Amino acid sequence: MNDPAPAMAAAAARLGAIRLPDAAPVAVPCQLVQDWPAAVDPGHLATLSRAAAGQDTGILTVTFADREARRALLAAWARQEYERGRFPGGVVYVDREETYLESCDADMGDVVGDLLRLLGVREEIIPVGHGGRSPLLRQARAAKGLLIVLDGIRHAPLARPLILPGALLVVGGTKPMVARSLQLDGGREVALDGPQDSGASPASVHGVLERAVEDLSPDARHLRCLLEPLEYVPFGSALVNEVFGPGADTALRALADAGLVVPASRPQRFRFRAKTALCRLCRADTVPPGERHRMEYRLAEAVRRLVERIADTATDGGPQQRTAGLEALREQAPVVELTVRLAAERGWHHVVWPLALAMTALMDARGWDTSWDHILERGADSALADGAADAHAELRTRLVELRLYYAFRPQEVKDTAAVAFALCPLVSNDQLRARIWHMQAEFDARCGRDTDHARERALYFYRAAGDQDEADRQILLWAQTLLDHGRVRAALERLDDLSDPRRAGAHLVRARAYRASRQALHSVKAAVTAAERAVDTADYVLCGQALEFLAEVAHQEEEHTLLAVCREQEAALRQFAGLAPRS
């Protein structure tokens, strides 16, 4: 019998010859927000500084009922400590109250995803669903020496995903119960109290705002009424210009000078002051119902036009334009969520479903958020009411995908899938038909049912649409499913249908098939080839899967040299991906 040792040694040498690119330098995050208009009480700043002295890791909660004063305090303290050089890892600021009410109590997956990107973790390894993001965040290499300021928290579980080794998490909120709950995680509390708004009572604040509104120019007053539906979410100057037109900057500046609009936590973003609701004259209730209806429609149309332009850039532009477009869509998400709700309630279906479709560019590139459920559901309903069959089918299909990712109740997923599948004969393009059949295959797989028919139909329609990349992806998924069910020969035969049988994914499926057939040497050779081709095509997720598979085979076969090389390459891949070495 031939000795496999030389062949195994050759495979180890090939694997060791793979060279990953150098990790890109990571810019130190410096989210030092603009000064808030609320004055910072020197006594409160000193109290917070004393409480945080010597604590560079762990959790510190700041409980203070006055939202504006608390935000001003946390912003001033973070800037002070960063400028003193205390947090070399940088500063990250998150205000959860700047998220629309329907989703502000959802999980923190969107925030965790943003933080992973800030810390230099490569986009392709950030999980689509939020379940895997928090464990990945705890592995981020750049988290040491980081200050995370998380304001506006209502429930303690929202803060826990951001508790990182080597970093300090400062949590701001109004509820003492949050602080008490986080004390179980080792957190310390700073409880502050005092007159609201730096000594001003609600009555005096009301009077100040009334006088400020009375002194507003007609344009500023009109802009305030136009933006009334956005009272609880941040908005950007681009939207202000879209909805108001010429003179928008002057009117916005007048609102800021009057203290009605304050800077949000992101540059060029604004929000209404928390106490604005105290002032009757600040609200659009003084506008006649018919005029208010026209203003709301004008705002909804402005949001639709702006978001559709951004989505076009995020899908059709160059790499830098796409990145900038995705960031802009991410910032618009709270405004879109609110606008979709408002437009759906008013029956403006032609506004709702285009907005939902435009936001799918962000869903595809940056993963899913549980708040998308509201947008997709309302978008699908509006598309149906507006007679847009393709849009209705696509949004229903995406709704199924989201609910599969987040493990919604099985019956809820089943009902949604049945509606989407029933639309398949009505849609006008093969690409969408293929997506519906692919969704059906994924749902069948989740239920433990045979997927052959659904995979075959998805493959047929992807080929009919001329999308060879998706057709090949469907073949690989099909082959892996066959392999999972022990149908090794059928899986290998399926790979012959690929447009390029030398794809990295095909080699990895072959490696798994050979292992199932107890052909360890052929399995190792195929897996090494998969790793080589994955690096050549910059598919680092698949490279990681190939290395993990090789390590399992090497351990099982007691090939210590191959196992050592696998561990070295895994460490290099983690370094490149922005993750710390395994402990």
Side-chain angles (χ1 to χ4, degrees):
M1 188 172 182
N2 293 331
D3 182 7
M8 286 291 190
R14 283 176 55 199
L15 186 64
I18 295 176
R19 292 291 175 264
L20 291 163
D22 293 332
V26 180
V28 174
C30 184
Q31 294 184 338
L32 299 175
V33 298
Q34 303 175 59
D35 294 331
W36 305 111
V40 177
D41 187 320
H44 289 161
L45 185 59
T47 300
L48 178 55
S49 298
R50 284 194 301 271
Q55 183 176 356
D56 296 330
T57 62
I59 316 164
L60 183 67
T61 60
V62 179
T63 306
F64 194 3
D66 188 331
R67 177 188 178 191
E68 297 295 348
R70 186 185 69 239
R71 289 160 61 100
L73 172 64
L74 292 176
W77 177 80
R79 181 180 295 276
Q80 167 188 287
E81 299 304 307
Y82 179 75
E83 291 175 350
R84 290 175 177 175
R86 180 175 169 187
F87 295 102
V91 177
V92 174
Y93 184 95
V94 179
D95 186 350
R96 202 58 181 166
E97 287 185 349
E98 288 186 358
T99 306
Y100 181 49
L101 298 180
E102 279 195 354
S103 59
C104 66
D105 289 337
D107 56 53
M108 293 285 284
D110 54 340
V111 173
V112 174
D114 289 343
L115 187 50
L116 284 167
R117 296 180 189 98
L118 276 174
L119 297 180
V121 175
R122 290 186 64 86
E123 183 70 42
E124 61 265 31
I125 75 165
I126 298 176
V128 175
H130 295 171
R133 290 185 177 182
S134 295
L136 193 66
L137 181 58
R138 288 190 285 273
Q139 303 172 46
R141 190 177 68 247
K144 188 175 181 181
L146 179 69
L147 169 63
I148 304 173
V149 179
L150 179 60
D151 198 15
I153 284 296
R154 301 179 183 184
H155 307 292
L158 294 177
R160 292 195 174 100
L162 302 188
I163 301 173
L164 306 180
L168 175 62
L169 174 63
V170 177
V171 179
T174 59
K175 297 184 177 181
M177 70 178 71
V178 173
R180 287 195 291 270
S181 180
L182 290 176
Q183 285 174 0
L184 299 176
D185 299 284
R188 297 167 53 198
E189 179 186 9
V190 180
L192 302 173
D193 53 19
Q196 292 194 344
D197 221 29
S198 304
S201 66
S204 63
V205 170
H206 186 197
V208 169
L209 292 178
E210 278 191 336
R211 288 191 294 273
V213 171
E214 289 172 353
D215 294 338
L216 286 177
S217 66
D219 279 356
R221 190 189 295 266
H222 184 53
L223 177 61
R224 175 63 184 86
C225 292
L226 280 171
L227 298 178
E228 172 66 28
L230 306 181
E231 184 170 13
Y232 297 105
V233 298
F235 51 88
S237 53
L239 177 58
V240 174
N241 281 286
E242 186 71 36
V243 71
F244 193 80
D249 291 340
T250 302
L252 182 61
R253 194 177 307 113
L255 291 176
D257 292 343
L260 303 178
V261 167
V262 296
S265 57
R266 300 287 183 93
Q268 301 303 311
R269 307 284 292 171
F270 306 90
R271 64 172 179 81
F272 284 109
R273 190 179 183 183
K275 292 188 176 63
T276 302
L278 290 172
C279 178
R280 178 182 55 83
L281 293 177
C282 290
R283 300 187 60 82
D285 294 345
T286 56
V287 178
E291 181 63 22
R292 188 194 315 167
H293 188 275
R294 285 189 290 272
M295 287 182 172
E296 290 173 346
Y297 182 75
R298 180 174 167 182
L299 175 64
E301 278 288 337
V303 172
R304 181 191 60 78
R305 292 194 301 270
L306 177 63
V307 170
E308 286 186 328
R309 282 203 307 271
I310 296 173
D312 288 342
T313 301
T315 52
D316 300 331
Q320 291 184 338
Q321 290 176 311
R322 285 198 297 272
T323 300
L326 291 171
E327 288 300 324
L329 279 179
R330 175 75 178 82
E331 290 183 343
Q332 295 296 336
V335 171
V336 170
E337 190 179 352
L338 189 149
T339 304
V340 163
R341 180 181 181 182
L342 172 67
E345 290 174 350
R346 299 291 186 269
W348 302 328
H349 303 302
H350 62 287
V351 173
V352 178
W353 66 261
L355 268 177
L357 279 181
M359 292 301 288
T360 58
L362 180 62
M363 300 178 199
D364 289 341
R366 291 294 174 84
W368 301 72
D369 186 346
T370 47
S371 66
W372 297 129
D373 191 73
H374 302 290
I375 296 176
L376 293 173
E377 180 103 58
R378 288 179 173 129
D381 290 343
S382 291
L384 176 63
D386 210 28
D390 283 5
H392 181 209
E394 180 166 352
L395 291 169
R396 282 289 171 199
T397 303
R398 288 177 177 274
L399 191 58
V400 178
E401 293 170 342
L402 180 143
R403 291 176 175 177
L404 281 170
Y405 277 131
Y406 285 98
F408 275 58
R409 291 184 299 274
Q411 187 60 45
E412 192 170 8
V413 178
K414 180 180 179 180
D415 293 344
T416 310
V419 172
F421 187 69
L423 296 170
C424 193
L426 305 177
V427 300
S428 63
N429 69 82
D430 291 324
Q431 186 82 24
L432 184 51
R433 291 191 185 99
R435 192 181 184 106
I436 292 173
W437 277 106
H438 168 69
M439 174 273 302
Q440 184 65 42
E442 293 296 306
F443 180 63
D444 288 343
R446 178 69 61 88
C447 297
R449 297 197 295 258
D450 182 82
T451 65
D452 283 4
H453 178 63
R455 293 286 184 210
E456 185 178 19
R457 299 306 293 164
L459 178 59
Y460 171 82
F461 284 117
Y462 276 129
R463 284 174 170 168
D467 192 339
Q468 194 58 57
D469 285 342
E470 281 298 327
D472 283 354
R473 177 171 167 269
Q474 204 64 219
I475 290 171
L476 291 174
L477 289 170
W478 193 354
Q480 184 59 56
T481 302
L482 292 170
L483 196 56
D484 292 341
H485 287 83
R487 299 165 62 185
V488 177
R489 183 180 295 275
L492 290 173
E493 290 174 352
R494 183 54 54 195
L495 295 179
D496 294 337
D497 294 335
L498 289 167
S499 63
D500 181 8
R502 299 171 299 171
R503 294 172 68 109
H507 284 291
L508 187 54
V509 172
R510 289 191 188 95
R512 290 167 175 158
Y514 290 140
R515 186 185 185 191
S517 302
R518 301 183 183 279
Q519 301 179 60
L521 182 56
H522 289 298
S523 177
V524 167
K525 288 180 178 179
V528 171
T529 303
E532 290 172 335
R533 295 194 179 279
V535 172
D536 290 342
T537 56
D539 190 343
Y540 300 109
V541 173
L542 196 145
C543 179
Q545 293 171 351
L547 290 173
E548 183 179 0
F549 175 83
L550 278 166
E552 291 175 1
V553 176
H555 178 75
Q556 183 180 8
E557 299 295 323
E558 297 185 353
E559 292 290 340
H560 303 298
T561 301
L562 178 60
L563 181 59
V565 175
C566 285
R567 296 307 185 205
E568 290 174 2
Q569 292 289 32
E570 283 182 328
L573 183 60
R574 290 180 65 82
Q575 174 81 11
F576 171 69
L579 303 178
R582 292 188 187 277
S583 55

